[in-house]
Amino acid sequence: MTTKVAANSAAYEAIVRAGPRVKQLQQVHAHLIVTGYGRSRSLLTKLITLACSARAIAYTHLLFLSVPLPDDFLFNSVIKSTSKLRLPLHCVAYYRRMISSNVSPSNYTFTSVIKSCADLSALRIGKGVHCHAVVSGFGLDTYVQAALVTFYSKCGDMEAARQVFDRMPEKSVVAWNSLVSGFEQNGLAEDAIRVFYQMRESGFKPDSVTFVSLLSACAQTGAISLGSWVHQYIVSEGLDLNVKLGTALINLYSRCGDVGKAREVFDKMKETNVAAWTAMISAYGTHGYGKQAVDLFNKMEDDCGPIPNSVTFVAVLSACAHAGLVEEGRSVYKRMTESYRLIPGVEHHVCMVDMFGRAGFLDEAYRFIHQLDATGKATAPALWTAMLGACKMHRNYDLGVEIAKRLIALEPENPGHHVMLSNIYALSGKTDEVSHIRDGMMRNNLRKQVGYSIIEVENKTYLFSMGDESHQETGEIYRYLETLISRCKEIGYAPVSEEVMHQVEEEEKEFALRYHSEKLAVAFGLLKTVDVAITVVKNLRICEDCHSAFKYISIVSNRHIIVRDKLRFHHFQNGSCSCLDYW
DNA sequence: TTAGGGTTAG
């Protein structure tokens, strides 16, 4: 008996030594069969788990089938492994097999299966698993419930996520984190921040995972005061600045307008990976510092940094597109396909079309799309949207109208395409067509999004919308804005009115423009602060007139004005913008 | 053996 146990443990050790490597595992398996241990349940379970970790799913299943009457431990092992390895369909398949084999699931089973349903965003299947967990008596298990919060969040159902969370008899830091992350991932940054405060009030101590989500939420809304508080807290508590936390901080500072600070964090990180480098490259790119973005990318290659992935290439190509670095962009695209053997996706194609288009090479952009046509990849609306942007920018109205009509045929529900067509008609002076499009939009209930701008002053957040009069100091803000605008006019500012509101009178037009939300926020910021840079976050893209006005305002107020729009940053200083009017 | 995290175009 003693020798059997010894031999068994030697076999176990041999399996562990083989590790998640198929060839080695197969050798050990052969040895097990020869020595008579090929039917040992515990050894096979370990072997199966490792085969699964090696992602050898066919081999895993073959081994699994060799076990007569699999028990709950074996089922849980494969369910957990497939879930962890992001093989969610296999995970759900093993779960179903477990049920049909009449083997009882446990809380271990449910947490893994629910996680896989979350990966699949399979709301219907996951709800079924949720019900099964409840009737099996695991509905109140802490682990199962935390997994459910994540599951509903990933399916976009925050109401259900909140409900599961609220009904938890005992909450955990992980469950709180799931909820914070859920709101943040669904674009509900304010709710994420609110939950974070509730978490602290309930006496839970946030950890680095909480802060990663919280920092992302701060980056989303531009809440720099809370964001930098978190940074200080991390430092003062001596929390380890791991890669994810560092990356979240880079993203925070970048999206709150401070690229220098983002770079400081990047330089201080002990460990970096492809996401951290990509975040930093993207920071340079969105702020219009194309050269720095390309330099950092080159450094990544030269200094044996992490291997760039397709996300990195989107960041670099987009940086080139926005800085007019056509030759650099071409070279990067070539390296991506030839040196790294990455297959470009629609997002990379869009960057290329955008890059050629912005630089005025409309023919080349068009040719690029047609080359894709041959491979059947030219149908993506995003490609034509980029091409359309170029037509508008370079005043090629005929081609613009043709493309806009094509886009409307492809996506009639997208108000953006109608607005674009209307703007092109407006720019080419076809006012009848403008009214026609606008009427059509009204009839079909297609509305433009409501724009708003946010500014933080002394740790408080103020929100402005167009023509806003809700603010306590409305009168003062408007009067100050009037003064600013008239001083701007004295040095050459002429309101741009061609794009907007062609049906109204000239004066009204100018009046409406002057009170765009970003103008109100900027005026408020200048009024309330002295000598510092002000940062405004807008939910839509900045309009041409505000862009022009802020250049002049940066002169008359002698201030650095930073505006983050839906996609990019604009640093206005001494009469010019960092985007070089190239956005 | 169990649950939670960072990077991407327009």
Side-chain angles (χ1 to χ4, degrees):
Chain A
M1 190 65 196
T2 343
T3 48
K4 196 172 179 190
V5 171
N8 201 334
S9 83
Y12 187 86
E13 272 170 32
I15 297 172
V16 173
R17 260 201 313 279
R21 292 172 297 189
V22 187
K23 273 232 165 87
Q24 283 85 338
L25 287 170
Q26 280 170 336
Q27 276 172 4
V28 180
H29 186 205
H31 192 71
L32 286 186
I33 294 168
V34 172
T35 53
Y37 287 106
R39 287 167 166 262
S40 156
R41 186 174 290 273
S42 61
L43 291 179
L44 278 172
T45 302
K46 188 68 192 168
L47 200 64
I48 291 168
T49 312
L50 282 168
C52 190
S53 301
R55 303 188 80 89
I57 196 71
Y59 180 49
T60 303
H61 198 56
L62 204 73
L63 288 170
F64 182 87
L65 292 176
S66 77
V67 181
L69 299 174
D71 59 2
D72 59 339
F73 194 84
L74 176 56
F75 268 115
N76 284 340
S77 295
V78 277
I79 286 172
K80 191 195 117 199
S81 299
T82 45
S83 161
K84 222 175 169 181
L85 283 166
R86 298 271 160 110
L87 298 165
L89 284 171
H90 291 96
C91 176
V92 173
Y94 279 114
Y95 160 71
R96 288 190 168 150
R97 201 183 179 97
M98 186 179 195
I99 300 167
S100 60
S101 310
N102 279 325
V103 178
S104 302
S106 66
N107 51 350
Y108 292 102
T109 322
F110 289 117
T111 45
S112 296
V113 179
I114 291 165
K115 184 181 151 67
S116 285
C117 291
D119 283 344
L120 291 166
S121 293
L123 189 59
R124 207 179 49 83
I125 301 173
K127 275 186 177 170
V129 179
H130 185 177
C131 293
H132 188 195
V134 172
V135 295
S136 312
F138 297 106
L140 294 177
D141 180 89
T142 322
Y143 291 88
V144 172
Q145 285 183 315
L148 281 169
V149 172
T150 307
F151 162 71
Y152 285 113
S153 300
K154 290 209 171 150
C155 291
D157 189 346
M158 286 315 294
E159 229 169 272
R162 179 90 225 199
Q163 208 172 58
V164 172
F165 179 84
D166 286 341
R167 289 179 184 168
M168 283 182 81
E170 274 197 48
K171 301 180 171 40
S172 61
V173 173
V174 174
W176 279 103
N177 288 350
S178 302
L179 197 63
V180 175
S181 157
F183 280 118
E184 186 274 313
Q185 292 285 311
N186 279 287
L188 302 164
E190 283 96 351
D191 291 301
I193 294 170
R194 209 169 300 133
V195 171
F196 167 73
Y197 285 124
Q198 287 167 0
M199 175 183 183
R200 296 203 83 202
E201 281 161 20
S202 310
F204 282 87
K205 200 172 177 212
D207 62 11
S208 65
V209 178
T210 324
F211 290 134
V212 171
S213 300
L214 184 64
L215 287 169
S216 299
C218 293
Q220 247 184 60
T221 57
I224 188 59
S225 47
L226 178 58
S228 25
W229 174 84
V230 171
H231 192 181
Q232 281 162 17
Y233 184 92
I234 291 166
V235 174
S236 66
E237 290 282 302
L239 270 176
D240 179 36
L241 189 72
N242 64 29
V243 205
K244 290 186 180 180
L245 205 44
T247 308
L249 279 170
I250 293 173
N251 194 35
L252 168 88
Y253 285 118
S254 161
R255 297 188 60 184
C256 290
D258 199 338
V259 207
K261 204 89 191 249
R263 182 61 198 245
E264 258 177 49
V265 173
F266 179 74
D267 288 335
K268 273 190 191 147
M269 285 170 70
K270 282 188 249 107
E271 187 200 338
T272 55
N273 63 10
V274 66
W277 283 76
T278 305
M280 196 58 233
I281 291 171
S282 160
Y284 283 130
T286 42
H287 282 268
Y289 307 134
K291 195 180 169 305
Q292 284 91 326
V294 174
D295 285 349
L296 190 61
F297 175 70
N298 289 334
K299 192 171 179 323
M300 182 177 176
E301 288 190 306
D302 299 341
D303 289 6
C304 302
I307 303 198
N309 61 18
S310 66
V311 181
T312 317
F313 282 100
V314 172
V316 186
L317 292 173
S318 153
C320 292
H322 285 275
L325 303 172
V326 178
E327 283 321 305
E328 287 84 347
R330 252 196 259 268
S331 150
V332 167
Y333 187 79
K334 196 161 178 268
R335 265 184 280 167
M336 171 182 168
T337 53
E338 291 176 6
S339 312
Y340 295 95
R341 306 250 164 220
L342 287 170
I343 299 163
V346 177
E347 59 274 38
H348 304 98
H349 296 145
V350 170
C351 288
M352 293 304 279
V353 172
D354 197 34
M355 181 180 83
F356 292 132
R358 281 174 193 280
F361 305 146
L362 293 189
D363 290 344
E364 189 147 7
Y366 208 71
R367 265 205 304 280
F368 189 87
I369 298 181
H370 277 290
Q371 273 169 13
L372 295 173
D373 216 358
T375 54
K377 287 180 180 166
T379 44
L383 285 173
W384 293 105
T385 308
M387 186 72 212
L388 179 57
C391 290
K392 177 172 170 268
M393 186 183 286
H394 296 287
R395 313 286 194 237
N396 188 333
Y397 302 133
D398 293 340
L399 186 57
V401 168
E402 188 196 312
I403 294 171
K405 284 185 175 167
R406 191 188 306 201
L407 277 167
I408 289 171
L410 274 171
E411 299 180 321
E413 304 287 309
N414 187 334
H417 302 329
H418 298 268
V419 170
M420 202 67 170
L421 181 58
S422 143
N423 284 345
I424 288 180
Y425 278 136
L427 285 164
S428 52
K430 294 184 178 165
T431 39
D432 288 351
E433 299 283 2
V434 174
S435 323
H436 184 232
I437 304 282
R438 299 279 154 140
D439 291 347
M441 284 181 73
M442 296 281 262
R443 258 200 319 279
N444 294 308
N445 213 12
L446 293 173
R447 289 181 195 283
K448 288 171 82 171
Q449 272 183 283
V450 179
Y452 61 83
S453 298
I454 298 170
I455 185 166
E456 267 194 14
V457 175
E458 285 170 7
N459 296 345
K460 271 184 81 178
T461 306
Y462 299 86
L463 188 138
F464 293 87
S465 51
M466 181 161 141
D468 201 342
E469 294 187 359
S470 63
H471 199 272
Q472 262 187 350
E473 293 154 277
T474 292
E476 205 183 334
I477 299 165
Y478 277 56
R479 271 193 300 281
Y480 183 62
L481 192 50
E482 295 279 356
T483 322
L484 278 175
I485 298 283
S486 60
R487 282 172 63 198
C488 288
K489 281 182 176 168
E490 283 167 19
I491 57 167
Y493 164 64
V496 184
S497 52
E498 56 181 356
E499 261 190 47
V500 203
M501 296 186 178
H502 258 254
Q503 300 94 322
V504 292
E505 291 299 315
E506 193 68 26
E507 201 181 307
E508 259 185 80
K509 219 186 298 177
E510 196 192 312
F511 182 83
L513 286 172
R514 203 186 300 162
Y515 298 109
H516 258 168
S517 64
E518 55 268 50
K519 285 207 188 75
L520 294 171
V522 164
F524 179 75
L526 293 175
L527 197 60
K528 290 289 165 189
T529 60
V530 185
D531 285 341
V532 290
I534 59 163
T535 307
V536 167
V537 177
K538 194 187 175 188
N539 66 331
L540 305 176
R541 296 229 67 186
I542 187 172
C543 91
E544 217 164 314
D545 178 68
C546 287
H547 195 267
S548 160
F550 294 160
K551 286 196 242 169
Y552 289 96
I553 294 178
S554 75
I555 299 175
V556 301
S557 64
N558 193 25
R559 289 278 198 107
H560 182 183
I561 300 165
I562 303 164
V563 178
R564 174 179 127 189
D565 72 16
K566 196 178 177 187
L567 302 172
R568 314 195 56 79
F569 274 91
H570 304 266
H571 293 257
F572 300 94
Q573 233 167 346
N574 305 319
S576 61
C577 177
S578 60
C579 78
L580 302 171
D581 303 336
Y582 201 78
W583 85 95

